[in-house]
């Protein structure tokens, strides 16, 4: 199909493109920008008046809940949510059931995702067998099966010797190791930030040192082994300062933060609102402001949804016993735009954090608009407003701290390889 996207404002952060121009798509690729190719006759015209046309979003952390947790969400529901959120490429952590520690499981997940013909799925393989932190997986075989990196998800490695061996092996083959720094003993049993809110509510606390102690170990071992490390979901001001220093020294590290931590703090827990039970926990206002500043100055490479759909029973429990996590695929774009507006960040710079920069971390040639490249595109209205409600979210998980909030910025169309996989209807609901 040949598609003509007209009257839109094209923004491509990677190539410094920000102009009003038409986009022409043929055979799943971008055929031209600006002027139509010779003898181009569109089968479909998309009017992007008053809209931004940008690369499809790239999300570094989206739990699709398959295999093993289909009662929380299905691949179909979460892929629908991704497309409704303008996301065309996403990485899924290995904490499925069973974990993604064998090539057959990875191949099955990729096969299922490809058959849906929606967003592209890039599995992150398990770093250790069953995520138990004891024996390394066959990383080379997992890479051949389609894994783009290796992680423990939220299961820390307590045996430092195992971590050293993992980093040495990864360095030998050029793999990226994804680690969320958290000391298992300092964080043991905790559910909230170690501050006055946790004290007032009587909740078991997780100090920032649980993150910084683990991060110090990771950075020292990364320097020693030469491994490429991606640091996931940092949450503390001190951690960001450590990463800033490590980058200045030339260490081969990158990092991301979850979109919820850009806007929320421990104060938002209120009276035991389990939708605010997240991993890592929402921290102090100082930490939140440090995250915003680190996003602006480039210390933080990417924003991610940290999408974690949880079934209703998992949230309707006392805070400390509830299951942590929040749905986020459909909120990644509007919450990124919200950060940009509140901090006077240029739109192109904000979009870079959710397009080509996460694509670079994944090692993908994605997240940009270039002639001859795959037409993975997000079209959104930056002024359109909508209310976050369970009935509106396509994800099977309705658990988000932003229920009832008004969002500004709404996806009107999503294309993957030139196919329209989502289009907003007249009533604001999506259709394929």
């Amino acid at each position: 199909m040949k598609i003509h996207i007209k009257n839109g404002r094209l923004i491509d952060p990677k190539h410094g493109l920000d102009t009003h121009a038409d986009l022409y798509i043929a055979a799943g690729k971008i055929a031209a920008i600006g002027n139509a190719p010779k003898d181009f006759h569109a089968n479909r015209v998309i009017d992007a008046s008053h809209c931004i046309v940008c690369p499809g979003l790239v999300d570094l952390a989206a739990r699709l809940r398959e295999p093993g947790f289909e009662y929380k969400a299905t691949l179909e529901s979460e892929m629908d949510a991704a497309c409704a959120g303008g996301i065309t490429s996403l990485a899924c952590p290995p904490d499925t059931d069973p974990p993604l520690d064998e090539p057959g499981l990875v191949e099955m997940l990729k096969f299922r995702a490809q058959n849906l013909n929606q967003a592209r799925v890039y599995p992150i393989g398990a770093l250790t067998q069953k995520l138990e932190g004891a024996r390394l997986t066959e990383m080379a075989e997992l890479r051949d099966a389609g894994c783009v990196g290796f992680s423990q998800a939220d299961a820390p490695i307590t045996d430092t010797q195992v971590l050293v061996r993992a980093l040495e092996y990864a360095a030998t083959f050029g793999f990226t190791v994804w680690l969320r720094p958290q000391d298992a003993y300092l964080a043991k049993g905790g559910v909230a930030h170690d501050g006055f809110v946790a004290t007032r509510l009587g909740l078991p606390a997780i100090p920032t040192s649980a993150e910084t102690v683990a991060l110090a170990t990771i950075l020292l071992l990364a320097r020693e082994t030469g491994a490429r490390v991606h640091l996931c979901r940092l949450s503390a001001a001190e951690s960001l300062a450590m990463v800033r220093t490590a980058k200045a020294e030339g260490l081969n590290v990158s990092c991301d933060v979850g979109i919820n931590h850009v806007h929320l703090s421990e104060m938002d827990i209120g009276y035991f609102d389990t939708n605010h039970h997240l991993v890592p926990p929402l921290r102090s206002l100082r930490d939140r402001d440090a995250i915003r500043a680190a996003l602006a100055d480039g210390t933080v490479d990417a924003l991610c949804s940290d999408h974690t759909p949880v079934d209703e029973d998992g949230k309707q429990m006392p805070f400390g016993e509830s299951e942590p996590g929040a749905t986020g695929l459909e909120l990644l774009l509007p919450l990124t735009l919200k950060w940009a507006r509140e901090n006077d960040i240029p739109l192109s710079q904000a979009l870079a954090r959710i397009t080509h920069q996460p694509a670079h971390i994944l090692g993908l040639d994605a997240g940009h608009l270039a002639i001859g490249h795959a037409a993975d595109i997000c079209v959104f209205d930056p002024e359109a407003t909508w209310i976050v409600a369970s009935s509106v979210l396509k994800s099977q998980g309705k658990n988000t701290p932003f229920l009832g909030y008004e969002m500004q910025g709404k996806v009107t169309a999503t294309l993957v390889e030139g196919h329209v996989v989502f289009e907003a209807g007249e009533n604001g609901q999506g259709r394929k």
Side-chain angles (χ1 to χ4, degrees), residues 46 83 86 377-380 410-415 420-424:
I46 296 175
C83 294
I377 295 165
C378 170
V379 182
F380 68 92
K410 186 168 183 59
V411 175
T412 60
T414 304
L415 288 78
V420 178
V421 294
F422 171 83
E423 186 176 16

Side-chain angles (χ1 to χ4, degrees), residues 361-375:
I361 292 167
L362 288 167
L364 305 177
D365 183 17
H368 64 94
L369 303 176
I371 295 172
H373 287 258

Side-chain angles (χ1 to χ4, degrees), residues 90-298:
L90 56 86
C92 56
D95 51 351
T96 51
D97 184 21
L100 299 179
D101 61 356
E102 294 183 1
L105 293 168
V106 175
E107 290 167 352
M108 179 188 70
L109 177 61
K110 285 186 68 69
F111 177 77
R112 286 261 294 123
Q114 287 169 357
N115 279 352
L116 293 175
N117 293 315
Q118 291 180 283
R120 305 171 192 269
V121 173
Y122 298 94
I124 306 296
L127 193 61
T128 62
Q129 295 179 27
K130 298 182 180 179
L131 296 177
E132 292 176 346
R135 294 178 297 169
L136 300 183
T137 56
E138 297 291 345
M139 287 188 240
E141 292 182 9
L142 288 170
R143 188 273 312 275
D144 292 342
C147 289
V148 294
F150 300 92
S151 168
Q152 282 292 103
D154 291 327
I157 295 179
T158 55
D159 188 333
T160 315
Q161 191 173 65
V162 173
L163 180 56
V164 170
R165 289 172 178 166
L167 291 172
E168 288 175 340
Y169 186 90
T172 300
F173 291 94
F175 301 151
T176 301
V177 177
W178 297 41
L179 298 171
R180 187 178 73 80
Q182 178 163 290
D183 185 282
Y185 298 105
L186 289 173
K188 189 175 182 179
V191 296
H193 172 62
D194 189 8
F196 73 91
V197 173
T199 301
R200 174 170 58 84
L201 297 178
L203 294 172
I206 301 176
T208 55
S209 59
E211 184 169 288
T212 55
V213 166
L215 178 58
T217 300
I218 292 168
L219 292 176
L220 286 170
L221 294 180
R223 181 179 293 112
E224 181 179 298
T225 61
R228 168 159 175 70
V229 174
H230 177 67
L231 302 163
C232 310
R233 265 71 73 204
L234 298 182
S235 65
E238 290 83 357
S239 301
L240 298 168
M242 293 165 69
V243 171
R244 191 175 286 115
T245 301
K247 286 188 170 186
E249 294 174 357
L251 211 58
N252 194 9
V253 297
S254 56
C255 70
D256 67 56
V257 295
I259 194 65
N260 295 298
H261 290 73
V262 176
H263 297 286
L264 304 173
S265 74
E266 59 179 340
M267 302 287 290
D268 294 291
I269 292 174
Y271 292 98
F272 306 101
D273 184 350
T274 57
N275 280 328
H276 292 78
H277 183 189
L278 306 174
V279 174
L282 294 171
R283 298 206 180 272
S284 68
L285 287 169
R286 171 178 168 268
D287 293 311
R288 186 203 65 181
D289 291 345
I291 287 173
R292 292 182 170 213
L295 265 172
D297 69 22

